[in-house]
Amino acid sequence: MPATDRDGPVADPEAQRRHPLLFKAVTRRRHPRLRRTDITVTDEAAVKRAVKAASLGNAMEWFDFGIYAYLAVTLGHVFFPSGNDTVQLLSSFATFAVAFLVRPLGGMVFGPMGDRLGRKKVLALTMILMAVGTFAIGLIPSYASIGFWAPVLLVLFRMLQGFSTGGEYGGASTFIAEYAPDRRRGYFGSFLEFGTLAGYVAAAGLVTALTGWLGSDTMEAWGWRVPFLVAGPLGLVGLYLRLRLDETPAFQKLESDSARASDAADAVETSTKGDLAKIFRQQWPTLILCIALVGAYNITDYMLLSYMPTYLSDELGYSETHGLLILLLVMVLLMLIITQVGRLSDRFGRKPVLMAGMLGFLVLSLPAFLLIGQGGVPAITAGMLMLGLSLVCLLGTMSAALPALFPTDVRYGSLSVGYNLSASLFGGTTPLVITALIGATGSNLMPAYYAMGAALVGVIAVACMKETARQPLEGSPPSVETPEEAAELVMSQAPEPKF
């Protein structure tokens, strides 16, 4: 059986030597030189609008998840029977994790739909569902009022949140990656995670302000509802911004080269099953790599940005406000440098920056938690900054690195499936697993060991991935910022004149 590569059968070397001109012609036909019309020249104003709309949606997603994490202790008291505080906290974190169990289902539905019908339409739909789910949580009566139905309704709306989120990150990162010029994809992609930090900061700031103003008793009585109800107006703003956008240039090009995606709208269910089969059959090695990268990234992300305030209050005895204020300071500092990390990944490559973050968690997690355990604002702040500076290397780079793993025709679907499978298994379960490990071992250093294990997997995954910085996305034409850059790219392919 003849050998093959991605372009088809590989010719016999002897035949290539006998017929060099014929094989040169075949190669040119398979890989034609770029023409000026093949190259996408980006509109900077359109790129900025796309980044703003995608980042706001991401900020809203993490605002929603952040307020639940930061109010975990309060929500445990509100929605679950009184008794053992640890059992209430575990129940609250279990409900937090429930949203992640349905995220892969959302990814499997919305991802292929985004590849078939377009990125913009699906991102608008996920925004609506997320806002509805969060707003509804703010309206649920307490356990004291309706008993068993309170946690049931909480789980139901958490599942709606998780289902919608399944199409959010893959779509938003794909949207920005396909709009951005190749040489600045890391910089523009970093704004997506700037939105992540902004959502967490807004959530932490609002919860801290309300707790300080109302006090713990009033927060438990009704104050906890306010952050959830804010999601309604935020969702409408995000929806308005997303509906004003055009489709990405890469998807428009893909659509013009094949059957129009809207022609298949009546067969979405059947087509989605076919698309999923294609993703798992053709992309499984890259899916495994994506799951490993996202798993390491999510465990460290949720440990620091979601779980840390609960760790400081429940395990080390600090007030809830105390931990949130320190985390707020750390997150604001990360926001100030995250876009510069994106620039670094454009200049030096995705792999070096990601490797720095993974090695940072591997080496610094234990010293950081030992510092945090010493107590006192300076020690806790220093320990959290050590973790934060490692995390920002991942935050500022992942949103450009992950979409580049997959070709354009299956990018939204593949990334949504891989990202959400990993987030379901490793991300949302992080607070629950760490709390259970501390309870089982009695060691307050379990978060450090858990992060170090995740980072080791991340180091191996980064070593296995290809470098994609400053290169076109697979399956898409090159994307540049100016007509002059496009002309330069075409000229660089011209053969050297022979005299």
Side-chain angles (χ1 to χ4, degrees):
M1 184 175 178
T4 61
D5 64 11
R6 64 188 299 168
D7 296 314
V10 176
D12 177 45
E14 186 62 34
Q16 289 181 328
R17 282 194 294 272
R18 288 199 305 268
H19 307 286
L21 294 178
L22 173 61
F23 281 98
K24 281 184 181 178
V26 171
T27 301
R28 282 198 298 271
R29 187 179 183 111
R30 285 180 175 175
H31 306 287
R33 288 195 180 99
L34 285 171
R35 297 166 296 178
R36 169 62 187 82
T37 53
D38 294 327
I39 300 171
T40 300
V41 179
T42 60
D43 176 358
E44 187 168 355
V47 173
K48 288 180 177 177
R49 284 197 304 272
V51 169
K52 185 189 301 181
S55 299
L56 180 63
N58 208 47
M60 181 187 161
E61 174 190 343
W62 297 114
F63 173 82
D64 295 345
F65 275 87
I67 54 180
Y68 190 97
Y70 300 145
L71 288 169
V73 176
T74 301
L75 294 176
H77 295 158
V78 171
F79 287 106
F80 299 97
S82 59
N84 189 314
D85 286 345
T86 302
V87 172
Q88 284 188 327
L89 182 60
L90 282 171
S91 299
S92 183
F93 277 142
T95 309
F96 179 80
V98 159
F100 288 81
L101 296 179
V102 296
R103 279 182 69 158
L105 296 177
M108 291 178 187
V109 171
F110 292 123
M113 195 184 295
D115 285 327
R116 186 167 295 279
L117 302 181
R119 284 60 164 130
K120 170 185 168 180
K121 295 174 184 176
V122 176
L123 282 173
L125 179 58
T126 61
M127 174 70 78
I128 294 170
L129 293 178
M130 172 61 80
V132 169
T134 308
F135 187 80
I137 289 175
L139 300 176
I140 301 173
S142 67
Y143 184 88
S145 300
I146 60 172
F148 168 77
W149 290 106
V152 169
L153 289 172
L154 179 63
V155 168
L156 177 66
F157 291 122
R158 284 290 295 162
M159 289 175 70
L160 178 59
Q161 279 186 320
F163 185 73
S164 63
T165 305
E168 176 62 36
Y169 183 89
S173 57
T174 293
F175 203 80
I176 292 179
E178 291 182 350
Y179 254 107
D182 295 334
R183 293 184 181 180
R184 299 180 71 197
R185 187 168 292 116
Y187 169 70
F188 285 115
S190 66
F191 279 95
L192 188 66
E193 298 297 355
F194 180 92
T196 297
L197 291 171
Y200 273 125
V201 166
L206 184 55
V207 170
T208 303
L210 284 171
T211 303
W213 178 38
L214 299 175
S216 297
D217 291 341
T218 308
M219 278 295 289
E220 193 170 312
W222 59 268
W224 66 269
R225 298 182 185 277
V226 175
F228 289 98
L229 297 177
V230 167
L234 278 180
L236 293 176
V237 172
L239 180 63
Y240 170 73
L241 289 175
R242 287 188 172 181
L243 289 175
R244 291 181 62 223
L245 294 173
D246 294 325
E247 260 305 345
T248 68
F251 184 80
Q252 289 178 350
K253 180 74 166 67
L254 181 70
E255 200 175 28
S256 67
D257 290 346
S258 59
R260 292 182 64 242
S262 58
D263 292 342
D266 294 332
V268 168
E269 184 178 357
T270 303
S271 300
T272 296
K273 290 178 181 177
D275 290 342
L276 283 174
K278 177 182 176 183
I279 288 170
F280 283 109
R281 185 174 62 250
Q282 297 181 0
Q283 301 297 324
W284 66 266
T286 314
L287 277 176
I288 292 173
L289 178 62
C290 178
I291 288 169
L293 285 168
V294 173
Y297 157 55
N298 267 231
I299 286 173
T300 51
D301 186 321
Y302 282 98
M303 182 193 69
L304 180 62
L305 301 186
S306 294
Y307 174 71
M308 192 58 74
T310 302
Y311 176 78
L312 291 174
S313 61
D314 269 40
E315 307 301 337
L316 302 184
Y318 291 94
S319 71
E320 294 167 29
T321 305
H322 187 113
L324 278 176
L325 284 173
I326 296 175
L327 183 59
L328 263 174
L329 172 64
V330 171
M331 288 193 294
V332 169
L333 289 175
L334 298 187
M335 288 176 70
L336 295 176
I337 63 174
I338 190 169
T339 56
Q340 299 309 311
V341 173
R343 288 184 194 273
L344 285 176
S345 79
D346 283 330
R347 183 175 179 183
F348 298 107
R350 314 289 185 234
K351 291 184 68 169
V353 181
L354 287 174
M355 188 63 80
M358 297 298 183
L359 289 174
F361 275 110
L362 186 61
V363 174
L364 298 176
S365 289
L366 192 55
F369 273 91
L370 287 171
L371 261 178
I372 292 169
Q374 294 296 312
V377 172
I380 294 174
T381 304
M384 289 175 68
L385 274 175
M386 290 166 67
L387 299 172
L389 291 174
S390 300
L391 180 62
V392 80
C393 293
L394 309 182
L395 287 173
T397 312
M398 278 292 185
S399 49
L402 293 175
L405 294 175
F406 301 103
T408 300
D409 61 332
V410 293
R411 180 170 298 124
Y412 195 155
S414 299
L415 181 52
S416 293
V417 169
Y419 186 94
N420 288 294
L421 278 173
S422 189
S424 175
L425 292 170
F426 306 112
T429 58
T430 295
L432 179 65
V433 170
I434 293 177
T435 302
L437 286 174
I438 292 174
T441 65
S443 172
N444 287 334
L445 293 178
M446 288 312 297
Y449 298 135
Y450 196 52
M452 290 166 68
L456 182 59
V457 173
V459 166
I460 296 170
V462 172
C464 293
M465 68 182 283
K466 294 179 181 178
E467 183 56 73
T468 57
R470 303 170 68 86
Q471 298 175 18
L473 294 168
E474 184 182 346
S476 294
S479 179
V480 300
E481 294 184 85
T482 63
E484 293 76 18
E485 192 179 341
E488 182 184 334
L489 186 59
V490 172
M491 289 298 294
S492 69
Q493 298 183 109
E496 293 289 333
K498 296 180 181 180
F499 297 101

